[in-house]
Amino acid sequence: MRIFFFALVLIFSQTNGRSLPKEIDCQLPDSLKTEIHGYQNFVNFILKHVVKGPEANQTYNELAKFTDTFGSRIAGSTNLERAIDYMLTLLYNEHLDNVHAEAAEVPHWVRGKESAELIYPRQKMVALLGLGGSVGTPKDGIIGELLVVNSFDELKAKADQVPGKIVVYNEPWIDYPTSVKYRQFGAAEAAKLGAVASLIRSIAPYSINSPHTGWQDYEDGVKQIPTACITIEDAEMFRRMAERGMRHSLISIYLYIYYAQVHMVQAMIIMVVLVSGHLDSWDVGQGAMDDGGGAFISWRSLVILKRLGLRPRRTLRVALWTGEEEGIWGGQAYFNAHKHEKDYFSIVMESDIGTFKPLGLTYSGKNKDAQCIIQEVLKLFKGINATQLQITNEGPDIGVWENAGVPGASLINQNEKYFYYHHSEGDTMTVEDPYYLDLCTAFWTATSYIFADLKDMLPR
Amino acid sequence: MRIFFFALVLIFSQTNGRSLPKEIDCQLPDSLKTEIHGYQNFVNFILKHVVKGPEANQTYNELAKFTDTFGSRIAGSTNLERAIDYMLTLLYNEHLDNVHAEAAEVPHWVRGKESAELIYPRQKMVALLGLGGSVGTPKDGIIGELLVVNSFDELKAKADQVPGKIVVYNEPWIDYPTSVKYRQFGAAEAAKLGAVASLIRSIAPYSINSPHTGWQDYEDGVKQIPTACITIEDAEMFRRMAERGMRHSLISIYLYIYYAQVHMVQAMIIMVVLVSGHLDSWDVGQGAMDDGGGAFISWRSLVILKRLGLRPRRTLRVALWTGEEEGIWGGQAYFNAHKHEKDYFSIVMESDIGTFKPLGLTYSGKNKDAQCIIQEVLKLFKGINATQLQITNEGPDIGVWENAGVPGASLINQNEKYFYYHHSEGDTMTVEDPYYLDLCTAFWTATSYIFADLKDMLPR
C-alpha cells in the first residue's frame, strides 16, 4: 500500500489575531513533573547537536537541494512523483524502518498559459494566476467590462450590474480565514448573479506586484466561470478608476487549463507519534515555505534521532502528505486507511505555517491534563524562548485525526511575513533561514521524541 | 522652446549608510536668525493647511489620478507625451505664470516581448526585465550555459570559462551605489571576456520575485550583448546549483527590443528657487514613487502658494524633468539652455528618493553660512521632526547646477523600503501614503517658499 495525504490549508493556516491562553492551573502529579523535567539535558543536547553540532545547516541544505531540483510540486505532477521517489530513496538510505508510500487519489489540475490585459481606458498587462480548480476561458479568451466590489454585500447591492461583467473583488486584507472566503467562493457568488468571470485581489497583507493562487470552490448547480487572482496593486487601481467614474474599463482574460481529474499518487509514511508536513505545493515558486520547511523538519527529526541511536518508547512516524493544497486528499486517505489505529496515536503533529523562529506549539485537544503536560514540556525550551502554547486546531492534514479525538499539535513560529510569500512565486529558498530551520528542527525533534517517550500516552 | 530634463539616478539616489553631520558651529547674525524665526507662523500655517485643511489628501489624489491614467512614462513614449500635455493644461488652469515646455533630446528605448526559461536541469520560467539600452537577442533567442559569479573579481578569475556563456551576476546587495555597478557595467565586462549575454541579480535589498530594471552602459569598442535583470531568488538558486556542481545549467533568453535613437520630447518649467522632480519613469509599474511623488509635491507647492495668494520675493520655478532614467538628458538640456541664469538661482531643489515621511534636507553646497541658514530653517520643522541636514549631492537632475556652484537640496525621507520597489512592477500607488504625501508637500512648499523669500540669496 502506498499513500500520500493532504489538507485544506484554507481554514487552518493562520495564527494572526489569536490570543494566547492564560497559563491554566495545573495539578500534574509530582512524578510526572519530575519525569518531564528529566528531559532537560536531552533537550539541551539536541539543541546543541542540531544548531551548533554536526547537524547544523543541514535542514536548510537538504531543503535547498530538494526545492532547487524539483521546483514546485503540485499534486499529480511529474515534479511531485519524482520528489516522492527521491524522498523514499533518501529515507531508505538513512535506514529508517518501514519506508514506504501509500496510495491516495488527488485531483490533478494543470495550469496552461494565462494572461490578462487591460485594454480600455489604456493598455496594461495585468499579472494574474488562475485559481486552483478554475475552468479555462474559450480559446480566444474573454473580453469584458470590470465591475469592482469590495465585499459580497456590495456585490449583492449591485446585483443588477453584474450580468455579463467580469467581477473584481477588492476585499481588504483582514486575516487569512476572513479574507480567503473571496478566493474560495468569489467565482460561485459572482456566477449566481450572471458574471462571466471573476478576479480576486490576492489574499496577502503585502505585495510587490505578486499574484497569490490557491484553491477555489465552485458550487453545485452554479455555472463554473473562469477565476484568477490579480495583485493588490491592480485591484486597488481598478477600484480607484471605478470611483472616478470610469465605469467601462475593459479587460481581456485568457486562461488555458488542462484539467485531469482524480489521479493516483504516492505518499510515504514511516511509522505512534506522528510528525508531518506536506510535500506537495502550489505550481508556482518552489514550495520551500509551504510546506517544504514543515516536511523537512519532520523527516529530519527522525533521521537525527536514528543517527544518534535514540529510540523512544513509542514509534515515531513521519508522514509527508500529498494533495494538501487541493483539499487534504492525502490526509483524508491516510486517515481512512489508518483510523483503526487511532487509539495508538499519542499525538499527531504537523508544521504547515512556516519554519521561521520557533515560538512554541498549538494544542487542539480538550483534555486539560494533556494541555498541562504540553505546557510543562514547553518549559524545557525556555533557553530558546519557545514556550508558547496556543489552544487551536492548526495543521490541515492532521485535522481529521483531531476531529476523531486524537490530540494534535502544530509549530508556532514567528511567521508575520508568511502571507507575503504564500502561494506565490515568492515562496522560494530565499525566505528560509538556515539558523531558524536548525532551531525548528531541534525543537520538533525534541518535542516529538518526548511525546513518544513519556511513560504514558497523552490523556484524551 | 520646449524642454524636459533628467538625470542619472544611478549614482545619487541613495541615503543608506550616510552619516549625519554634527551640527556645525554657526555664527549667523542675529538679524538673520530673527528673520528666519519669523517664518515659524507661516510654517505652522502651511502644515495645518496642507495636512488638515483644504489641501489634505490632494497630492495623493492627484498623483493617483495621474499615474492610474498614464501608467509608466518612459522617455519618448506616447504615455509621457500625453502626461506632459496633461500637466501643461493642469498648471495653466491653476494660473501659474509662464507655463511652458522646452525641448530636449532623449534616447527612446522600447521594450518588446521578452522571456527566459531554464531548460536544464529542469524546466522553469525565469522572470526577467531587459535593461535599458540593451540590444535584443536574435529572433529565436539565445540558448546558453550559465556561468554564475558573485563579483567582477570572480568573473576575472574564471575568465577562461566565460567564452560562449551567459554570465549571471549574483552580486550581494550592499547599497545602491556599490551594487548598481553590476547592472551598469556587467554586460560590457562579460562581453570583453567572450560572454554571449549577461543576467544581473536585481539591485534590491528585498524581493518577492520581482525583477528591477534600470539603465546599463555598454563600452565603446566592446561587443554589445543582450542583458537583463533577473530576481534575487533565481540568481541565488543558480548560484546554489552551480555550487552543487551542476555546471551545465542551460537557459534560453529572448529579448525583443525596439530601439529608436534620440527623440525630441517636451518638458515644462515654470519659473529663482527651483523645485523639481522627474515626470518620466521606467516602463514598468506606475512610476508613482520614482518619481511621481517628487514631481507632484513640487508642482503642488507652487499651486498651493498660488491659491493662497502668497508670492515670495524671488520667483519660484517648478521643473518636471524628462529622460532622467536614461541619464539626465532633460536636466542637462535645461542647464545648457539656462546656465547663463545661474547667478540668479538661490537654490535648486529636487526630490527623487521617495516621498515617505519627511525627515529634512540634503545640502550640497560648500559654503558654511548657507549650511547654517538651512540648519536654522529646518529648526522651524521641529513639530514634524523634519530637522535633519545631510551634506551630500542628491537630486540627479540638479547635479549639473550643483557642479556649477549653485547650492542644491533634496528631500530626506524615511525611505528604507525605497529599493524594494525601485524600477520594478512594484512601483505603484500602493506604496504611497496620503498623509506622508501631505507632510512632504507642506514641508516642500514651506522650505522652498522661505528660500525664495529670504532677503538675501544663499551665500555660495
Side-chain angles (χ1 to χ4, degrees), chain B residues 58-66 86 90 296 299-300:
Chain B
Q58 287 202 43
T59 304
Y60 179 90
N61 291 340
E62 290 286 353
L63 182 58
K65 189 173 161 191
F66 175 82
Y86 171 91
L90 189 157
F296 270 53
W299 72 255
R300 287 270 299 149

Side-chain angles (χ1 to χ4, degrees), chain B residues 9-64:
Chain B
V9 81
L10 304 186
I11 294 160
F12 303 99
S13 293
Q14 169 66 15
T15 52
N16 300 347
R18 190 184 290 151
S19 58
L20 294 182
K22 289 226 167 84
E23 200 168 299
I24 59 169
D25 193 26
C26 288
Q27 310 284 342
L28 296 180
D30 283 348
S31 61
L32 181 51
K33 281 180 156 177
T34 307
E35 186 191 355
I36 293 172
H37 298 165
Y39 288 103
Q40 186 69 63
N41 285 341
F42 164 76
V43 166
N44 297 348
F45 168 77
I46 290 288
L47 279 167
K48 200 174 150 195
H49 183 73
V50 175
V51 176
K52 296 180 181 166
E55 300 287 352
N57 294 321
Q58 287 202 43
T59 304
Y60 179 90
N61 291 340
E62 290 286 353
L63 182 58

Side-chain angles (χ1 to χ4, degrees), chain A residues 1 3-6 102-105 321 328-339 400:
Chain A
M1 273 243 297
I3 297 201
F4 242 56
F5 345 119
F6 61 3
E102 303 189 17
E105 296 197 329
W321 315 105
I328 325 182
W329 292 73
Q332 185 66 52
Y334 180 70
F335 178 77
N336 294 346
H338 293 271
K339 57 190 171 199
V400 276

Side-chain angles (χ1 to χ4, degrees), chain A residues 438-455:
Chain A
D438 283 347
L439 279 182
C440 287
T441 303
F443 178 75
W444 207 235
T445 305
T447 50
S448 60
Y449 179 88
I450 294 167
F451 294 137
D453 195 54
L454 282 170
K455 278 192 198 98

Side-chain angles (χ1 to χ4, degrees), chain B residues 28 32 272-274 314-315 317 335 338-349 363-374 398-409 451-452 456-460:
Chain B
L28 296 180
L32 181 51
V272 166
V273 165
L274 183 81
R314 270 174 297 283
T315 303
R317 283 185 192 176
F335 179 76
H338 293 270
K339 58 190 170 198
H340 59 279
E341 303 173 26
K342 83 178 166 68
D343 293 342
Y344 305 108
F345 282 68
S346 182
I347 190 166
V348 289
M349 295 167 68
Y363 162 65
S364 65
K366 283 184 186 123
N367 186 289
K368 290 292 171 200
D369 285 339
Q371 182 178 338
C372 287
I373 291 169
I374 295 174
I398 57 173
V400 276
W401 295 94
E402 293 172 323
N403 293 342
V406 179
F451 294 137
D456 296 314
M457 282 180 63
L458 287 177
R460 300 192 179 176

Side-chain angles (χ1 to χ4, degrees), chain A residues 60-61 64-72 79 82 121-125 206-210 212 232-234 236-237 240-241 244 246 285-286 417 420-421 424-431, chain B residues 60-61 64-72 79 82 121-125 206-210 212 232-234 236-237 240-241 244 246 285-286 417 420-421 424-431:
Chain A
Y60 178 91
N61 292 340
K65 190 173 160 192
F66 175 82
T67 58
D68 290 347
T69 304
F70 300 108
S72 67
N79 282 8
R82 288 177 57 208
R122 68 177 169 91
Q123 191 281 335
K124 181 194 185 302
M125 294 310 296
Y206 177 77
S207 175
I208 305 183
N209 206 52
S210 314
H212 296 235
I232 293 176
E233 290 92 328
D234 282 334
E236 289 186 346
M237 183 182 72
R240 290 193 302 268
M241 284 176 157
R244 277 184 216 116
M246 289 188 195
Q286 293 188 312
K417 291 192 175 173
Y420 285 28
Y421 316 111
S424 84
E425 290 286 357
D427 179 356
T428 70
M429 282 309 293
T430 295
V431 312
Chain B
Y60 179 90
N61 291 340
K65 189 173 161 191
F66 175 82
T67 57
D68 290 347
T69 303
F70 301 108
S72 67
N79 282 10
R82 288 178 58 206
R122 68 175 168 94
Q123 191 281 336
K124 182 194 185 301
M125 294 310 295
Y206 177 77
S207 176
I208 305 183
N209 205 54
S210 315
H212 295 236
I232 294 176
E233 288 93 326
D234 282 334
E236 289 186 347
M237 183 182 72
R240 289 192 303 266
M241 284 176 157
R244 276 185 217 114
M246 289 188 195
Q286 293 189 312
K417 291 191 175 174
Y420 283 28
Y421 316 112
S424 84
E425 290 286 358
D427 180 355
T428 70
M429 282 309 293
T430 295
V431 311

Side-chain angles (χ1 to χ4, degrees), chain A residues 10 131 149-156 167-190 198-203 212 214-217 227-229:
Chain A
L10 304 185
L131 293 177
V149 298
N150 285 359
S151 66
F152 287 130
D153 285 346
E154 187 179 349
L155 179 76
K156 277 163 202 159
V167 167
V168 174
Y169 291 96
N170 177 46
E171 80 291 338
W173 167 263
I174 294 167
D175 56 34
Y176 194 67
T178 309
S179 303
V180 80
K181 288 176 187 134
Y182 289 89
R183 188 188 82 207
Q184 225 177 333
F185 309 120
E189 292 304 314
S198 63
L199 297 173
I200 323 292
R201 170 181 160 140
S202 289
I203 311 304
H212 296 235
W215 198 255
Q216 63 87 34
D217 294 311
T227 186
C229 56

